[in-house]
PDB file of all heavy atoms in Angstrom:
ATOM      1  N   ARG A   1      24.645 -12.891  20.480  1.00  0.00           N
ATOM      2  CA  ARG A   1      23.224 -12.586  20.227  1.00  0.00           C
ATOM      3  C   ARG A   1      22.626 -11.805  21.316  1.00  0.00           C
ATOM      4  O   ARG A   1      21.818 -10.866  21.141  1.00  0.00           O
ATOM      5  CB  ARG A   1      22.441 -13.955  20.052  1.00  0.00           C
ATOM      6  CG  ARG A   1      22.756 -14.604  18.777  1.00  0.00           C
ATOM      7  CD  ARG A   1      21.702 -15.819  18.569  1.00  0.00           C
ATOM      8  NE  ARG A   1      22.206 -16.503  17.398  1.00  0.00           N
ATOM      9  CZ  ARG A   1      21.919 -16.127  16.138  1.00  0.00           C
ATOM     10  NH1 ARG A   1      21.401 -14.998  15.952  1.00  0.00           N
ATOM     11  NH2 ARG A   1      22.287 -16.811  15.140  1.00  0.00           N
ATOM     12  N   SER A   2      22.862 -12.198  22.599  1.00  0.00           N
ATOM     13  CA  SER A   2      22.350 -11.363  23.760  1.00  0.00           C
ATOM     14  C   SER A   2      22.819  -9.999  23.775  1.00  0.00           C
ATOM     15  O   SER A   2      22.129  -9.146  24.095  1.00  0.00           O
ATOM     16  CB  SER A   2      22.824 -12.194  25.004  1.00  0.00           C
ATOM     17  OG  SER A   2      22.403 -11.517  26.101  1.00  0.00           O
ATOM     18  N   ARG A   3      24.118  -9.754  23.424  1.00  0.00           N
ATOM     19  CA  ARG A   3      24.623  -8.406  23.340  1.00  0.00           C
ATOM     20  C   ARG A   3      23.865  -7.570  22.330  1.00  0.00           C
ATOM     21  O   ARG A   3      23.635  -6.394  22.484  1.00  0.00           O
ATOM     22  CB  ARG A   3      26.033  -8.366  23.039  1.00  0.00           C
ATOM     23  CG  ARG A   3      26.997  -9.041  24.102  1.00  0.00           C
ATOM     24  CD  ARG A   3      27.348  -7.830  25.019  1.00  0.00           C
ATOM     25  NE  ARG A   3      27.943  -8.339  26.246  1.00  0.00           N
ATOM     26  CZ  ARG A   3      28.324  -7.563  27.208  1.00  0.00           C
ATOM     27  NH1 ARG A   3      28.238  -6.312  27.179  1.00  0.00           N
ATOM     28  NH2 ARG A   3      28.890  -8.217  28.237  1.00  0.00           N
ATOM     29  N   VAL A   4      23.594  -8.143  21.192  1.00  0.00           N
ATOM     30  CA  VAL A   4      22.848  -7.452  20.141  1.00  0.00           C
ATOM     31  C   VAL A   4      21.459  -7.157  20.627  1.00  0.00           C
ATOM     32  O   VAL A   4      20.949  -6.005  20.402  1.00  0.00           O
ATOM     33  CB  VAL A   4      22.890  -8.255  18.835  1.00  0.00           C
ATOM     34  CG1 VAL A   4      21.971  -7.661  17.779  1.00  0.00           C
ATOM     35  CG2 VAL A   4      24.268  -8.319  18.195  1.00  0.00           C
ATOM     36  N   ARG A   5      20.797  -8.168  21.238  1.00  0.00           N
ATOM     37  CA  ARG A   5      19.404  -7.932  21.664  1.00  0.00           C
ATOM     38  C   ARG A   5      19.274  -7.004  22.760  1.00  0.00           C
ATOM     39  O   ARG A   5      18.268  -6.149  22.802  1.00  0.00           O
ATOM     40  CB  ARG A   5      18.758  -9.224  21.983  1.00  0.00           C
ATOM     41  CG  ARG A   5      18.544 -10.166  20.811  1.00  0.00           C
ATOM     42  CD  ARG A   5      17.741 -11.386  21.133  1.00  0.00           C
ATOM     43  NE  ARG A   5      17.604 -12.147  19.974  1.00  0.00           N
ATOM     44  CZ  ARG A   5      18.077 -13.485  19.918  1.00  0.00           C
ATOM     45  NH1 ARG A   5      18.597 -14.006  20.997  1.00  0.00           N
ATOM     46  NH2 ARG A   5      17.868 -14.198  18.868  1.00  0.00           N
ATOM     47  N   ARG A   6      20.173  -7.043  23.717  1.00  0.00           N
ATOM     48  CA  ARG A   6      20.084  -6.091  24.858  1.00  0.00           C
ATOM     49  C   ARG A   6      21.144  -5.032  24.906  1.00  0.00           C
ATOM     50  O   ARG A   6      21.556  -4.686  25.917  1.00  0.00           O
ATOM     51  CB  ARG A   6      20.113  -6.983  26.172  1.00  0.00           C
ATOM     52  CG  ARG A   6      21.315  -7.686  26.501  1.00  0.00           C
ATOM     53  CD  ARG A   6      21.141  -8.464  27.771  1.00  0.00           C
ATOM     54  NE  ARG A   6      22.384  -9.383  27.908  1.00  0.00           N
ATOM     55  CZ  ARG A   6      23.571  -9.069  28.255  1.00  0.00           C
ATOM     56  NH1 ARG A   6      23.887  -7.777  28.594  1.00  0.00           N
ATOM     57  NH2 ARG A   6      24.515 -10.099  28.280  1.00  0.00           N
ATOM     58  N   SER A   7      21.418  -4.557  23.769  1.00  0.00           N
ATOM     59  CA  SER A   7      22.416  -3.541  23.558  1.00  0.00           C
ATOM     60  C   SER A   7      21.912  -2.186  24.423  1.00  0.00           C
ATOM     61  O   SER A   7      20.725  -1.900  24.425  1.00  0.00           O
ATOM     62  CB  SER A   7      22.563  -3.187  22.104  1.00  0.00           C
ATOM     63  OG  SER A   7      23.391  -1.925  21.912  1.00  0.00           O
ATOM     64  N   SER A   8      22.850  -1.528  24.916  1.00  0.00           N
ATOM     65  CA  SER A   8      22.664  -0.317  25.604  1.00  0.00           C
ATOM     66  C   SER A   8      22.271   0.853  24.667  1.00  0.00           C
ATOM     67  O   SER A   8      21.856   1.919  25.017  1.00  0.00           O
ATOM     68  CB  SER A   8      23.748   0.169  26.488  1.00  0.00           C
ATOM     69  OG  SER A   8      24.971   0.348  25.688  1.00  0.00           O
ATOM     70  N   VAL A   9      22.486   0.620  23.380  1.00  0.00           N
ATOM     71  CA  VAL A   9      22.219   1.531  22.344  1.00  0.00           C
ATOM     72  C   VAL A   9      20.653   1.619  22.156  1.00  0.00           C
ATOM     73  O   VAL A   9      20.053   0.467  22.024  1.00  0.00           O
ATOM     74  CB  VAL A   9      22.851   1.185  21.026  1.00  0.00           C
ATOM     75  CG1 VAL A   9      22.447   2.148  19.889  1.00  0.00           C
ATOM     76  CG2 VAL A   9      24.458   1.240  21.258  1.00  0.00           C
ATOM     77  N   PRO A  10      20.046   2.697  22.117  1.00  0.00           N
ATOM     78  CA  PRO A  10      18.678   2.821  21.815  1.00  0.00           C
ATOM     79  C   PRO A  10      18.286   2.166  20.480  1.00  0.00           C
ATOM     80  O   PRO A  10      18.981   2.309  19.562  1.00  0.00           O
ATOM     81  CB  PRO A  10      18.285   4.348  21.834  1.00  0.00           C
ATOM     82  CG  PRO A  10      19.544   5.025  22.386  1.00  0.00           C
ATOM     83  CD  PRO A  10      20.650   4.060  22.224  1.00  0.00           C
ATOM     84  N   SER A  11      17.188   1.424  20.592  1.00  0.00           N
ATOM     85  CA  SER A  11      16.718   0.761  19.290  1.00  0.00           C
ATOM     86  C   SER A  11      15.515   1.595  18.739  1.00  0.00           C
ATOM     87  O   SER A  11      15.172   2.669  19.442  1.00  0.00           O
ATOM     88  CB  SER A  11      16.276  -0.681  19.558  1.00  0.00           C
ATOM     89  OG  SER A  11      15.069  -0.687  20.380  1.00  0.00           O
ATOM     90  N   LEU A  12      14.994   1.122  17.691  1.00  0.00           N
ATOM     91  CA  LEU A  12      13.891   1.911  17.197  1.00  0.00           C
ATOM     92  C   LEU A  12      12.721   1.886  18.199  1.00  0.00           C
ATOM     93  O   LEU A  12      11.969   2.961  18.255  1.00  0.00           O
ATOM     94  CB  LEU A  12      13.399   1.263  15.822  1.00  0.00           C
ATOM     95  CG  LEU A  12      14.249   1.447  14.629  1.00  0.00           C
ATOM     96  CD1 LEU A  12      13.774   0.596  13.504  1.00  0.00           C
ATOM     97  CD2 LEU A  12      14.302   2.850  14.253  1.00  0.00           C
ATOM     98  N   GLU A  13      12.608   0.827  18.868  1.00  0.00           N
ATOM     99  CA  GLU A  13      11.477   0.791  19.818  1.00  0.00           C
ATOM    100  C   GLU A  13      11.727   1.809  21.049  1.00  0.00           C
ATOM    101  O   GLU A  13      10.676   2.363  21.533  1.00  0.00           O
ATOM    102  CB  GLU A  13      11.543  -0.695  20.496  1.00  0.00           C
ATOM    103  CG  GLU A  13      10.378  -1.052  21.387  1.00  0.00           C
ATOM    104  CD  GLU A  13      10.337  -2.480  21.729  1.00  0.00           C
ATOM    105  OE1 GLU A  13      11.460  -3.094  21.760  1.00  0.00           O
ATOM    106  OE2 GLU A  13       9.235  -2.973  21.875  1.00  0.00           O
ATOM    107  N   ASP A  14      12.909   2.074  21.361  1.00  0.00           N
ATOM    108  CA  ASP A  14      13.148   3.113  22.360  1.00  0.00           C
ATOM    109  C   ASP A  14      13.028   4.569  21.922  1.00  0.00           C
ATOM    110  O   ASP A  14      12.820   5.448  22.850  1.00  0.00           O
ATOM    111  CB  ASP A  14      14.570   2.895  22.996  1.00  0.00           C
ATOM    112  CG  ASP A  14      14.847   1.419  23.457  1.00  0.00           C
ATOM    113  OD1 ASP A  14      13.898   0.902  23.939  1.00  0.00           O
ATOM    114  OD2 ASP A  14      15.982   0.898  23.343  1.00  0.00           O
ATOM    115  N   GLU A  15      13.144   4.755  20.620  1.00  0.00           N
ATOM    116  CA  GLU A  15      13.077   6.132  20.203  1.00  0.00           C
ATOM    117  C   GLU A  15      11.601   6.581  20.190  1.00  0.00           C
ATOM    118  O   GLU A  15      10.733   5.872  19.999  1.00  0.00           O
ATOM    119  CB  GLU A  15      13.654   6.302  18.761  1.00  0.00           C
ATOM    120  CG  GLU A  15      15.158   6.014  18.728  1.00  0.00           C
ATOM    121  CD  GLU A  15      15.720   6.249  17.304  1.00  0.00           C
ATOM    122  OE1 GLU A  15      14.962   6.718  16.467  1.00  0.00           O
ATOM    123  OE2 GLU A  15      16.928   6.171  17.137  1.00  0.00           O
ATOM    124  N   SER A  16      11.494   7.904  20.355  1.00  0.00           N
ATOM    125  CA  SER A  16      10.254   8.425  20.321  1.00  0.00           C
ATOM    126  C   SER A  16       9.675   8.445  18.870  1.00  0.00           C
ATOM    127  O   SER A  16      10.412   8.616  17.925  1.00  0.00           O
ATOM    128  CB  SER A  16      10.243   9.951  20.732  1.00  0.00           C
ATOM    129  OG  SER A  16      11.075  10.653  19.980  1.00  0.00           O
ATOM    130  N   VAL A  17       8.440   8.048  18.725  1.00  0.00           N
ATOM    131  CA  VAL A  17       7.908   7.911  17.397  1.00  0.00           C
ATOM    132  C   VAL A  17       7.619   9.210  16.894  1.00  0.00           C
ATOM    133  O   VAL A  17       7.085  10.119  17.433  1.00  0.00           O
ATOM    134  CB  VAL A  17       6.553   7.106  17.544  1.00  0.00           C
ATOM    135  CG1 VAL A  17       5.937   6.950  16.129  1.00  0.00           C
ATOM    136  CG2 VAL A  17       6.853   5.766  18.133  1.00  0.00           C
ATOM    137  N   GLU A  18       8.155   9.416  15.660  1.00  0.00           N
ATOM    138  CA  GLU A  18       7.993  10.731  14.968  1.00  0.00           C
ATOM    139  C   GLU A  18       6.524  10.913  14.499  1.00  0.00           C
ATOM    140  O   GLU A  18       5.748   9.885  14.311  1.00  0.00           O
ATOM    141  CB  GLU A  18       8.891  10.723  13.681  1.00  0.00           C
ATOM    142  CG  GLU A  18      10.282  10.703  14.126  1.00  0.00           C
ATOM    143  CD  GLU A  18      11.264  10.614  12.852  1.00  0.00           C
ATOM    144  OE1 GLU A  18      10.755  10.890  11.735  1.00  0.00           O
ATOM    145  OE2 GLU A  18      12.403  10.290  13.090  1.00  0.00           O
ATOM    146  N   VAL A  19       6.141  12.099  14.269  1.00  0.00           N
ATOM    147  CA  VAL A  19       4.752  12.358  13.815  1.00  0.00           C
ATOM    148  C   VAL A  19       4.553  11.802  12.457  1.00  0.00           C
ATOM    149  O   VAL A  19       5.498  12.058  11.571  1.00  0.00           O
ATOM    150  CB  VAL A  19       4.529  13.882  13.897  1.00  0.00           C
ATOM    151  CG1 VAL A  19       3.141  14.286  13.346  1.00  0.00           C
ATOM    152  CG2 VAL A  19       4.657  14.398  15.266  1.00  0.00           C
ATOM    153  N   TRP A  20       3.588  11.089  12.258  1.00  0.00           N
ATOM    154  CA  TRP A  20       3.290  10.498  11.005  1.00  0.00           C
ATOM    155  C   TRP A  20       2.410  11.423  10.174  1.00  0.00           C
ATOM    156  O   TRP A  20       1.215  11.755  10.561  1.00  0.00           O
ATOM    157  CB  TRP A  20       2.572   9.235  11.205  1.00  0.00           C
ATOM    158  CG  TRP A  20       2.400   8.326  10.079  1.00  0.00           C
ATOM    159  CD1 TRP A  20       3.507   7.751   9.259  1.00  0.00           C
ATOM    160  CD2 TRP A  20       1.203   7.823   9.476  1.00  0.00           C
ATOM    161  NE1 TRP A  20       2.922   6.998   8.208  1.00  0.00           N
ATOM    162  CE2 TRP A  20       1.585   7.033   8.333  1.00  0.00           C
ATOM    163  CE3 TRP A  20      -0.071   8.058   9.769  1.00  0.00           C
ATOM    164  CZ2 TRP A  20       0.557   6.501   7.494  1.00  0.00           C
ATOM    165  CZ3 TRP A  20      -1.056   7.355   8.938  1.00  0.00           C
ATOM    166  CH2 TRP A  20      -0.679   6.634   7.883  1.00  0.00           C
ATOM    167  N   ASP A  21       2.935  11.844   9.070  1.00  0.00           N
ATOM    168  CA  ASP A  21       2.148  12.814   8.146  1.00  0.00           C
ATOM    169  C   ASP A  21       1.541  11.986   7.056  1.00  0.00           C
ATOM    170  O   ASP A  21       2.316  11.518   6.148  1.00  0.00           O
ATOM    171  CB  ASP A  21       3.214  13.882   7.609  1.00  0.00           C
ATOM    172  CG  ASP A  21       2.450  14.856   6.838  1.00  0.00           C
ATOM    173  OD1 ASP A  21       1.244  14.701   6.596  1.00  0.00           O
ATOM    174  OD2 ASP A  21       3.111  15.865   6.394  1.00  0.00           O
ATOM    175  N   PRO A  22       0.209  11.905   6.979  1.00  0.00           N
ATOM    176  CA  PRO A  22      -0.407  11.011   5.949  1.00  0.00           C
ATOM    177  C   PRO A  22      -0.083  11.710   4.494  1.00  0.00           C
ATOM    178  O   PRO A  22      -0.286  11.061   3.521  1.00  0.00           O
ATOM    179  CB  PRO A  22      -1.878  11.037   6.322  1.00  0.00           C
ATOM    180  CG  PRO A  22      -2.069  12.017   7.439  1.00  0.00           C
ATOM    181  CD  PRO A  22      -0.763  12.416   7.858  1.00  0.00           C
ATOM    182  N   ARG A  23       0.205  12.907   4.446  1.00  0.00           N
ATOM    183  CA  ARG A  23       0.525  13.518   3.184  1.00  0.00           C
ATOM    184  C   ARG A  23       1.928  13.214   2.614  1.00  0.00           C
ATOM    185  O   ARG A  23       2.150  13.377   1.417  1.00  0.00           O
ATOM    186  CB  ARG A  23       0.437  15.072   3.186  1.00  0.00           C
ATOM    187  CG  ARG A  23      -1.009  15.575   3.495  1.00  0.00           C
ATOM    188  CD  ARG A  23      -0.966  16.968   3.863  1.00  0.00           C
ATOM    189  NE  ARG A  23      -0.212  17.188   5.025  1.00  0.00           N
ATOM    190  CZ  ARG A  23       0.231  18.364   5.398  1.00  0.00           C
ATOM    191  NH1 ARG A  23      -0.059  19.430   4.845  1.00  0.00           N
ATOM    192  NH2 ARG A  23       0.950  18.430   6.610  1.00  0.00           N
ATOM    193  N   GLU A  24       2.772  12.668   3.520  1.00  0.00           N
ATOM    194  CA  GLU A  24       4.146  12.324   3.124  1.00  0.00           C
ATOM    195  C   GLU A  24       4.002  11.125   2.175  1.00  0.00           C
ATOM    196  O   GLU A  24       3.281  10.148   2.414  1.00  0.00           O
ATOM    197  CB  GLU A  24       4.932  11.996   4.396  1.00  0.00           C
ATOM    198  CG  GLU A  24       6.394  11.587   4.126  1.00  0.00           C
ATOM    199  CD  GLU A  24       7.080  11.255   5.459  1.00  0.00           C
ATOM    200  OE1 GLU A  24       6.532  10.688   6.329  1.00  0.00           O
ATOM    201  OE2 GLU A  24       8.277  11.583   5.423  1.00  0.00           O
ATOM    202  N   SER A  25       4.785  11.121   1.107  1.00  0.00           N
ATOM    203  CA  SER A  25       4.746  10.004   0.224  1.00  0.00           C
ATOM    204  C   SER A  25       5.348   8.783   0.902  1.00  0.00           C
ATOM    205  O   SER A  25       6.196   8.911   1.736  1.00  0.00           O
ATOM    206  CB  SER A  25       5.560  10.298  -1.093  1.00  0.00           C
ATOM    207  OG  SER A  25       6.947  10.212  -0.817  1.00  0.00           O
ATOM    208  N   PHE A  26       4.979   7.635   0.382  1.00  0.00           N
ATOM    209  CA  PHE A  26       5.436   6.382   0.918  1.00  0.00           C
ATOM    210  C   PHE A  26       7.019   6.293   0.802  1.00  0.00           C
ATOM    211  O   PHE A  26       7.713   5.902   1.796  1.00  0.00           O
ATOM    212  CB  PHE A  26       4.851   5.173   0.230  1.00  0.00           C
ATOM    213  CG  PHE A  26       5.597   3.882   0.568  1.00  0.00           C
ATOM    214  CD1 PHE A  26       5.297   3.252   1.817  1.00  0.00           C
ATOM    215  CD2 PHE A  26       6.492   3.327  -0.314  1.00  0.00           C
ATOM    216  CE1 PHE A  26       5.973   2.169   2.165  1.00  0.00           C
ATOM    217  CE2 PHE A  26       7.179   2.174   0.049  1.00  0.00           C
ATOM    218  CZ  PHE A  26       6.955   1.519   1.307  1.00  0.00           C
ATOM    219  N   TYR A  27       7.615   6.668  -0.253  1.00  0.00           N
ATOM    220  CA  TYR A  27       9.021   6.675  -0.510  1.00  0.00           C
ATOM    221  C   TYR A  27       9.692   7.601   0.375  1.00  0.00           C
ATOM    222  O   TYR A  27      10.869   7.266   0.933  1.00  0.00           O
ATOM    223  CB  TYR A  27       9.304   6.915  -2.028  1.00  0.00           C
ATOM    224  CG  TYR A  27       8.746   5.839  -2.825  1.00  0.00           C
ATOM    225  CD1 TYR A  27       7.675   6.063  -3.631  1.00  0.00           C
ATOM    226  CD2 TYR A  27       9.247   4.595  -2.899  1.00  0.00           C
ATOM    227  CE1 TYR A  27       7.063   5.125  -4.402  1.00  0.00           C
ATOM    228  CE2 TYR A  27       8.801   3.548  -3.642  1.00  0.00           C
ATOM    229  CZ  TYR A  27       7.636   3.825  -4.397  1.00  0.00           C
ATOM    230  OH  TYR A  27       7.109   2.807  -5.132  1.00  0.00           O
ATOM    231  N   ASP A  28       9.186   8.786   0.705  1.00  0.00           N
ATOM    232  CA  ASP A  28       9.877   9.761   1.594  1.00  0.00           C
ATOM    233  C   ASP A  28       9.803   9.160   3.010  1.00  0.00           C
ATOM    234  O   ASP A  28      10.801   9.216   3.742  1.00  0.00           O
ATOM    235  CB  ASP A  28       9.154  11.090   1.647  1.00  0.00           C
ATOM    236  CG  ASP A  28       9.424  11.877   0.284  1.00  0.00           C
ATOM    237  OD1 ASP A  28      10.413  11.621  -0.385  1.00  0.00           O
ATOM    238  OD2 ASP A  28       8.582  12.781  -0.006  1.00  0.00           O
ATOM    239  N   ARG A  29       8.672   8.568   3.408  1.00  0.00           N
ATOM    240  CA  ARG A  29       8.564   8.002   4.733  1.00  0.00           C
ATOM    241  C   ARG A  29       9.383   6.750   4.915  1.00  0.00           C
ATOM    242  O   ARG A  29      10.114   6.585   5.872  1.00  0.00           O
ATOM    243  CB  ARG A  29       7.012   7.536   4.944  1.00  0.00           C
ATOM    244  CG  ARG A  29       6.784   7.196   6.393  1.00  0.00           C
ATOM    245  CD  ARG A  29       5.349   6.949   6.709  1.00  0.00           C
ATOM    246  NE  ARG A  29       4.678   5.975   5.827  1.00  0.00           N
ATOM    247  CZ  ARG A  29       3.795   6.206   4.822  1.00  0.00           C
ATOM    248  NH1 ARG A  29       3.485   7.363   4.497  1.00  0.00           N
ATOM    249  NH2 ARG A  29       3.277   5.176   4.223  1.00  0.00           N
ATOM    250  N   ALA A  30       9.464   5.927   3.794  1.00  0.00           N
ATOM    251  CA  ALA A  30      10.288   4.765   3.932  1.00  0.00           C
ATOM    252  C   ALA A  30      11.777   5.080   3.912  1.00  0.00           C
ATOM    253  O   ALA A  30      12.535   4.577   4.781  1.00  0.00           O
ATOM    254  CB  ALA A  30      10.104   3.942   2.601  1.00  0.00           C
ATOM    255  N   LEU A  31      12.157   6.140   3.299  1.00  0.00           N
ATOM    256  CA  LEU A  31      13.546   6.731   3.333  1.00  0.00           C
ATOM    257  C   LEU A  31      13.895   7.091   4.785  1.00  0.00           C
ATOM    258  O   LEU A  31      14.911   6.754   5.367  1.00  0.00           O
ATOM    259  CB  LEU A  31      13.810   7.784   2.308  1.00  0.00           C
ATOM    260  CG  LEU A  31      15.170   8.416   2.368  1.00  0.00           C
ATOM    261  CD1 LEU A  31      16.277   7.383   2.082  1.00  0.00           C
ATOM    262  CD2 LEU A  31      15.311   9.565   1.314  1.00  0.00           C
ATOM    263  N   ARG A  32      13.007   7.867   5.338  1.00  0.00           N
ATOM    264  CA  ARG A  32      13.149   8.493   6.679  1.00  0.00           C
ATOM    265  C   ARG A  32      13.287   7.272   7.723  1.00  0.00           C
ATOM    266  O   ARG A  32      14.148   7.274   8.566  1.00  0.00           O
ATOM    267  CB  ARG A  32      12.001   9.346   7.065  1.00  0.00           C
ATOM    268  CG  ARG A  32      12.162   9.993   8.395  1.00  0.00           C
ATOM    269  CD  ARG A  32      11.092  11.088   8.664  1.00  0.00           C
ATOM    270  NE  ARG A  32       9.678  10.733   8.198  1.00  0.00           N
ATOM    271  CZ  ARG A  32       8.912   9.938   8.982  1.00  0.00           C
ATOM    272  NH1 ARG A  32       9.315   9.429  10.055  1.00  0.00           N
ATOM    273  NH2 ARG A  32       7.668   9.763   8.427  1.00  0.00           N
ATOM    274  N   LEU A  33      12.375   6.249   7.544  1.00  0.00           N
ATOM    275  CA  LEU A  33      12.324   5.161   8.449  1.00  0.00           C
ATOM    276  C   LEU A  33      13.598   4.327   8.365  1.00  0.00           C
ATOM    277  O   LEU A  33      14.213   3.935   9.327  1.00  0.00           O
ATOM    278  CB  LEU A  33      11.142   4.280   8.206  1.00  0.00           C
ATOM    279  CG  LEU A  33       9.806   4.918   8.550  1.00  0.00           C
ATOM    280  CD1 LEU A  33       8.655   4.027   8.087  1.00  0.00           C
ATOM    281  CD2 LEU A  33       9.768   5.297  10.047  1.00  0.00           C
ATOM    282  N   PHE A  34      14.065   4.090   7.025  1.00  0.00           N
ATOM    283  CA  PHE A  34      15.270   3.242   6.938  1.00  0.00           C
ATOM    284  C   PHE A  34      16.537   3.966   7.351  1.00  0.00           C
ATOM    285  O   PHE A  34      17.457   3.348   7.879  1.00  0.00           O
ATOM    286  CB  PHE A  34      15.445   2.858   5.413  1.00  0.00           C
ATOM    287  CG  PHE A  34      14.458   1.655   5.047  1.00  0.00           C
ATOM    288  CD1 PHE A  34      13.447   1.803   4.213  1.00  0.00           C
ATOM    289  CD2 PHE A  34      14.822   0.485   5.630  1.00  0.00           C
ATOM    290  CE1 PHE A  34      12.652   0.716   4.017  1.00  0.00           C
ATOM    291  CE2 PHE A  34      13.942  -0.679   5.380  1.00  0.00           C
ATOM    292  CZ  PHE A  34      12.959  -0.471   4.541  1.00  0.00           C
ATOM    293  N   GLN A  35      16.466   5.279   7.231  1.00  0.00           N
ATOM    294  CA  GLN A  35      17.653   6.054   7.791  1.00  0.00           C
ATOM    295  C   GLN A  35      17.680   5.826   9.335  1.00  0.00           C
ATOM    296  O   GLN A  35      18.785   5.613   9.848  1.00  0.00           O
ATOM    297  CB  GLN A  35      17.530   7.511   7.400  1.00  0.00           C
ATOM    298  CG  GLN A  35      17.918   7.801   5.961  1.00  0.00           C
ATOM    299  CD  GLN A  35      17.645   9.249   5.502  1.00  0.00           C
ATOM    300  OE1 GLN A  35      16.771   9.850   6.066  1.00  0.00           O
ATOM    301  NE2 GLN A  35      18.433   9.622   4.452  1.00  0.00           N
ATOM    302  N   ARG A  36      16.550   5.901  10.004  1.00  0.00           N
ATOM    303  CA  ARG A  36      16.567   5.721  11.443  1.00  0.00           C
ATOM    304  C   ARG A  36      16.980   4.289  11.711  1.00  0.00           C
ATOM    305  O   ARG A  36      17.757   4.089  12.727  1.00  0.00           O
ATOM    306  CB  ARG A  36      15.076   5.972  11.960  1.00  0.00           C
ATOM    307  CG  ARG A  36      14.747   7.387  12.268  1.00  0.00           C
ATOM    308  CD  ARG A  36      13.410   7.567  12.811  1.00  0.00           C
ATOM    309  NE  ARG A  36      13.022   6.665  13.898  1.00  0.00           N
ATOM    310  CZ  ARG A  36      11.903   5.987  14.000  1.00  0.00           C
ATOM    311  NH1 ARG A  36      10.783   6.355  13.223  1.00  0.00           N
ATOM    312  NH2 ARG A  36      11.573   5.161  14.961  1.00  0.00           N
ATOM    313  N   LEU A  37      16.553   3.376  10.926  1.00  0.00           N
ATOM    314  CA  LEU A  37      16.809   1.953  11.218  1.00  0.00           C
ATOM    315  C   LEU A  37      18.354   1.728  11.111  1.00  0.00           C
ATOM    316  O   LEU A  37      18.990   1.075  11.865  1.00  0.00           O
ATOM    317  CB  LEU A  37      16.003   1.076  10.307  1.00  0.00           C
ATOM    318  CG  LEU A  37      16.441  -0.355  10.199  1.00  0.00           C
ATOM    319  CD1 LEU A  37      16.159  -1.083  11.513  1.00  0.00           C
ATOM    320  CD2 LEU A  37      15.724  -1.136   9.077  1.00  0.00           C
ATOM    321  N   LEU A  38      18.863   2.272   9.962  1.00  0.00           N
ATOM    322  CA  LEU A  38      20.297   2.022   9.810  1.00  0.00           C
ATOM    323  C   LEU A  38      21.227   2.788  10.769  1.00  0.00           C
ATOM    324  O   LEU A  38      22.254   2.203  11.142  1.00  0.00           O
ATOM    325  CB  LEU A  38      20.715   2.555   8.354  1.00  0.00           C
ATOM    326  CG  LEU A  38      20.081   1.740   7.143  1.00  0.00           C
ATOM    327  CD1 LEU A  38      20.455   2.465   5.842  1.00  0.00           C
ATOM    328  CD2 LEU A  38      20.577   0.370   7.239  1.00  0.00           C
ATOM    329  N   CYS A  39      20.725   3.885  11.247  1.00  0.00           N
ATOM    330  CA  CYS A  39      21.434   4.566  12.294  1.00  0.00           C
ATOM    331  C   CYS A  39      21.461   3.750  13.639  1.00  0.00           C
ATOM    332  O   CYS A  39      22.465   3.658  14.263  1.00  0.00           O
ATOM    333  CB  CYS A  39      20.805   5.963  12.638  1.00  0.00           C
ATOM    334  SG  CYS A  39      21.653   6.884  13.769  1.00  0.00           S
ATOM    335  N   CYS A  40      20.289   3.201  13.973  1.00  0.00           N
ATOM    336  CA  CYS A  40      20.239   2.382  15.132  1.00  0.00           C
ATOM    337  C   CYS A  40      21.011   1.074  14.983  1.00  0.00           C
ATOM    338  O   CYS A  40      21.788   0.709  15.924  1.00  0.00           O
ATOM    339  CB  CYS A  40      18.810   1.898  15.360  1.00  0.00           C
ATOM    340  SG  CYS A  40      17.725   3.218  16.064  1.00  0.00           S
TER     341      CYS A  40
END
């Protein structure tokens, strides 16, 4: 558990927050966010 929590791999929290475009549809934004999440 400790290894997972303090992994040297950058988490979503460590990554720079992408520019949020209010015109982007929820589903496009959700897909983009989940791709980042799954990669992390």
Side-chain angles (χ1 to χ4, degrees):
R1 286 188 185 287
S2 177
R3 289 272 168 182
V4 170
R5 288 191 184 118
R6 61 179 168 81
S7 172
S8 61
V9 174
S11 69
L12 287 174
E13 191 172 26
D14 301 327
E15 290 187 2
S16 61
V17 179
E18 298 175 12
V19 176
W20 190 63
D21 184 358
R23 295 172 295 167
E24 182 179 35
S25 76
F26 169 77
Y27 295 105
D28 289 338
R29 188 171 64 253
L31 177 61
R32 181 173 44 81
L33 293 173
F34 280 112
Q35 286 173 333
R36 277 181 45 218
L37 172 64
L38 293 175
C39 184
C40 287

